[in-house]
């Protein structure tokens, strides 16, 4: 669809609305396209007005949204309100044209719970917040409930934080093989095994300098998370050295949780699980994504559902206090019935934390490049509509939610836990409650100053080879982190 903007350049806001209603369309700027959207924003004496005119398949519809923007509002707040009415104008036109109301209504942002949390912090009741989500943003009943409950979990997490607390992330960008849906920075060990040891040596140096910086700034680590890639691609000895180095460098005695992704069952051994427990890890995340063998084969996994069951026996024997498992709704060759079987089995493992993702069709993934057949939006909706009540009936409640670009059906990823199983790091990073110091290739350090509503980011180099060969980038990122806190 050709997008034409007048009086603004809110590309992200409009593109997300476009994908919610027209998932097969992609934004076009310039050139020719029979389908067009003209989205204009103008300022009157009292009100700002956004008007969207959509022409799709020879049919045309128009949507208008108006709002008074307080003159005393800061620039960031004004921009947010302007984007809001731009999105609403497109939403109204698209809904008239298609007769469809997406599950998340006019909400297009990554963090829908932040909106609800803001309303609750303003003093609005749960019922008033629910009414705003319904009447202003047209959010469905199930997503309103999900949004508000995740907002409440986020506010609970916020109340438990001190100004000097941060979280620590360490990235291990290696996997046994690359999954078909993956666009993350990860390297198959078949191709990059020789980089693991040099990578660890560079990571140890970064750990030491980062820990010194944290001490100098008077900061304390609240939670620790090791992701990737697949951290358990490392050998038991390598993992022991890495966790030992972290424990020596950082004071991790007061953290609320220590999580390591053991995502691929073909990397899980009893020896590795014992190493994790010995080093104080309190949660492992085992990510089958599906318990259907033909689906695992379609996404490039070299293991079976039976391997997942055997891996879970090893995890159970190790005695971790908390275990997370991930599933993805909408994987190639999956069906609503297959997804239901997968979820029922995952719940049956007795884990206290389950994350239900929706497939996001990233540009760099093999699914996108090869045009693999995937379930329809309606089938994905069936999967998610089963997950919500099934998890609630099993004693789970939602605690964080986020959305991604190019996500099937414009749905969501949601974390669910039983009582006491909250993954605090997930809330801290998703709701941007405090700084996340990221170490390792592909890491993104997010510096957060809630008092001033200030967020800055710096990024480590993406690939192990360049991470090893360019330590000056690590130094520059740490200097930026120091400057952020020194300037408070």
């Amino acid at each position: 669809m050709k997008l034409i903007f007048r009086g603004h350049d809110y590309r992200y806001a409009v593109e997300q609305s476009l994908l919610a209603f027209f998932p097969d369309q992609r934004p076009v700027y310039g050139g020719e396209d029979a389908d067009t959207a003209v989205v204009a924003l103008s300022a009157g004496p009292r009100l700002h007005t956004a008007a969207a005119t959509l022409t799709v398949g020879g049919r045309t519809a128009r949507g208008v949204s108006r709002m008074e923007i307080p003159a005393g509002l800061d620039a960031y707040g004004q921009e947010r309100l302007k984007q809001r009415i731009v999105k609403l104008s497109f939403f109204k036109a698209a809904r008239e044209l298609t007769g469809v109301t997406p599950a998340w209504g006019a909400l297009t942002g990554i963090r829908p719970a932040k909106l609800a949390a803001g309303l609750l912090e303003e003093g609005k009741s749960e019922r008033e917040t629910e009414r705003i989500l319904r009447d202003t943003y047209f959010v469905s009943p199930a997503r309103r409930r999900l949004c508000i409950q995740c907002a409440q979990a986020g506010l609970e997490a916020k109340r438990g934080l001190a100004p000097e607390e941060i979280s620590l992330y360490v990235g291990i960008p290696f996997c046994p093989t690359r999954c078909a849906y993956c666009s993350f920075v990860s390297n198959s060990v078949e191709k990059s095994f020789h980089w693991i040891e040099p990578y660890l040596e560079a990571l140890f140096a970064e750990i030491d300098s980062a820990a010194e910086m944290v001490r100098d700034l008077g900061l304390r680590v609240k939670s620790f998370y090791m992701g990737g890639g697949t951290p358990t691609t490392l050998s038991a000895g390598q993992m022991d050295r890495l966790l030992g180095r972290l424990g020596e460098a950082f004071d991790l005695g007061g953290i609320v949780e220590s999580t390591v992704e053991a995502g691929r069952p073909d990397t899980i051994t009893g020896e590795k699980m014992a190493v994790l427990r010995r080093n104080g890890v309190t949660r492992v995340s085992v990510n089958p994504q599906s318990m259907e063998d033909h689906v695992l084969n379609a996404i490039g996994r070299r293991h079976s559902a039976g391997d997942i069951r055997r891996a879970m026996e090893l995890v159970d024997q190790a005695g971790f206090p908390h275990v997370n498992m991930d599933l993805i709704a909408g994987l190639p060759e999956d069906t609503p019935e297959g997804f239901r079987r997968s979820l029922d089995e995952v719940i049956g493992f007795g884990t206290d934390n389950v994350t239900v993702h929706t497939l996001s069709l990233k540009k760099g993934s093999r699914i996108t490049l090869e045009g693999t057949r995937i379930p329809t939006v309606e089938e994905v909706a069936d999967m998610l509509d089963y997950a919500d009540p099934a998890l609630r009936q099993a004693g789970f409640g939602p605690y964080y939610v986020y959305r991604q670009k190019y996500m099937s059906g414009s749905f969501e990823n949601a974390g669910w836990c039983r009582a006491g199983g909250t993954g605090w790091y997930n809330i801290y990073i998703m709701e941007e409650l405090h700084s996340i110091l990221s170490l390792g290739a592909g890491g993104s350090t997010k510096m957060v100053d809630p008092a001033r509503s200030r967020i800055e980011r710096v990024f480590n180099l993406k690939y192990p080879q360049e991470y090893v060969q360019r330590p000056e980038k690590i130094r520059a990122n740490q200097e930026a982190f120091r400057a952020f806190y020194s300037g408070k």
Side-chain angles (χ1 to χ4, degrees):
M1 181 181 292
K2 183 175 181 180
L3 300 181
I4 301 169
F5 299 154
R6 294 173 182 163
H8 70 97
D9 192 29
Y10 298 136
R11 292 193 176 199
Y12 182 80
V14 175
E15 287 177 2
Q16 290 299 92
S17 298
L18 166 67
L19 293 171
F21 282 95
F22 308 101
D24 296 329
Q25 297 259 20
R26 289 296 180 266
V28 176
Y29 298 94
E32 297 295 328
D33 196 306
D35 297 334
T36 62
V38 180
V39 188
L41 177 65
S42 59
R46 192 173 64 86
L47 299 174
H48 279 69
T49 300
T53 303
L54 272 62
T55 301
V56 179
R59 297 176 57 238
T60 298
R62 190 166 187 267
V64 177
S65 183
R66 295 183 175 88
M67 180 179 291
E68 182 176 1
I69 299 181
L73 195 62
D74 62 29
Y76 176 73
Q78 291 185 32
E79 290 297 299
R80 288 183 62 192
L81 293 180
K82 291 175 185 177
Q83 288 187 49
R84 182 182 300 177
I85 60 173
V86 164
K87 288 189 290 187
L88 282 169
S89 70
F90 188 100
F91 172 86
K92 291 176 180 178
R95 189 172 65 158
E96 180 182 333
L97 202 60
T98 63
V100 171
T101 301
W104 283 100
L107 288 184
T108 58
I110 295 172
R111 300 171 178 84
K114 285 192 80 171
L115 171 64
L119 294 170
L120 292 169
E121 284 192 299
E122 289 173 7
K124 290 185 169 52
S125 67
E126 183 178 326
R127 179 173 295 181
E128 289 171 320
T129 301
E130 194 270 345
R131 189 178 302 123
I132 290 171
L133 291 174
R134 182 193 67 195
D135 297 342
T136 302
Y137 297 99
F138 309 96
V139 180
S140 73
R143 268 54 182 198
R144 295 197 299 267
R145 185 185 186 192
L146 176 68
C147 188
I148 291 172
Q149 290 179 324
C150 289
Q152 291 168 330
L155 292 175
E156 179 188 354
K158 184 176 182 178
R159 288 189 291 269
L161 289 174
E164 71 276 10
E165 291 176 329
I166 65 171
S167 285
L168 179 65
Y169 174 88
V170 171
I172 305 298
F174 301 97
C175 280
T177 58
R178 189 175 179 87
C179 295
Y181 57 80
C182 183
S183 66
F184 285 105
V185 179
S186 60
N187 294 261
S188 165
V189 292
E190 297 169 319
K191 299 179 180 179
S192 58
F193 178 81
H194 62 287
W195 279 108
I196 293 181
E197 279 298 330
Y199 177 80
L200 288 176
E201 290 305 314
L203 180 58
F204 291 164
E206 185 182 13
I207 287 170
D208 291 344
S209 59
E212 181 181 2
M213 175 184 67
V214 166
R215 287 192 297 272
D216 289 348
L217 294 171
L219 302 175
R220 292 191 296 112
V221 177
K222 180 75 169 181
S223 71
F224 167 69
Y225 193 102
M226 186 183 295
T230 305
T232 44
T233 301
L234 301 179
S235 69
Q238 289 167 337
M239 184 68 74
D240 199 25
R241 285 163 49 209
L242 173 54
L243 291 172
R245 190 63 164 260
L246 281 161
E248 292 170 2
F250 288 92
D251 179 5
L252 302 179
I255 61 175
V256 294
E257 65 182 9
S258 174
T259 301
V260 172
E261 289 186 358
R264 299 279 291 265
D266 42 345
T267 68
I268 294 175
T269 67
E271 184 183 10
K272 291 181 187 179
M273 296 302 99
V275 165
L276 298 185
R277 286 297 293 129
R278 187 166 64 245
N279 283 277
V281 173
T282 57
R283 175 184 285 107
V284 291
S285 181
V286 182
N287 306 329
Q289 315 305 9
S290 173
M291 297 298 293
E292 300 281 291
D293 283 336
H294 68 284
V295 177
L296 293 171
N297 182 63
I299 64 175
R301 291 286 183 106
R302 292 186 180 176
H303 61 79
S304 67
D307 295 326
I308 297 167
R309 297 178 190 111
R310 285 187 287 273
M312 288 302 295
E313 289 178 4
L314 295 175
V315 168
D316 185 57
Q317 290 167 11
F320 291 95
H322 306 289
V323 179
N324 166 260
M325 297 187 77
D326 284 11
L327 292 176
I328 299 178
L331 286 173
E333 305 303 330
D334 207 357
T335 63
E337 294 76 21
F339 178 83
R340 291 169 194 163
R341 287 193 294 268
S342 293
L343 180 61
D344 289 346
E345 184 163 4
V346 162
I347 291 173
F349 282 124
T351 59
D352 65 350
N353 200 298
V354 174
T355 307
V356 178
H357 295 272
T358 302
L359 180 66
S360 180
L361 296 175
K362 301 295 183 64
K363 293 180 182 178
S365 69
R366 185 157 55 85
I367 291 175
T368 302
L369 297 175
E370 296 180 358
T372 308
R373 189 196 71 80
I374 59 173
T376 65
V377 169
E378 292 75 19
E379 289 175 316
V380 175
D382 284 347
M383 297 175 187
L384 297 177
D385 287 346
Y386 177 80
D388 187 302
L391 285 161
R392 292 182 188 279
Q393 187 173 356
F396 290 82
Y399 72 96
Y400 85 110
V401 62
Y402 69 101
R403 301 169 71 203
Q404 295 170 271
K405 200 171 185 179
Y406 304 123
M407 180 173 278
S408 181
S410 194
F411 290 119
E412 72 282 331
N413 303 320
W416 297 77
C417 67
R418 290 186 165 114
T422 302
W424 297 107
Y425 174 89
N426 292 328
I427 300 179
Y428 298 153
I429 188 170
M430 195 47 56
E431 300 307 316
E432 300 177 320
L433 298 182
H434 70 182
S435 295
I436 309 292
L437 176 59
S438 296
L439 313 181
S444 169
T445 289
K446 183 180 293 186
M447 296 163 280
V448 179
D449 182 356
R452 293 186 289 172
S453 299
R454 179 184 170 202
I455 297 176
E456 295 181 14
R457 295 172 176 83
V458 292
F459 302 90
N460 272 2
L461 295 165
K462 285 186 176 182
Y463 301 103
Q465 182 176 355
E466 61 181 359
Y467 172 82
V468 170
Q469 295 174 343
R470 292 185 55 194
E472 70 276 7
K473 176 58 174 169
I474 294 171
R475 290 193 293 270
N477 286 355
Q478 291 185 4
E479 288 169 7
F481 192 91
R482 281 184 181 272
F484 182 88
Y485 277 91
S486 299
K488 276 193 173 185

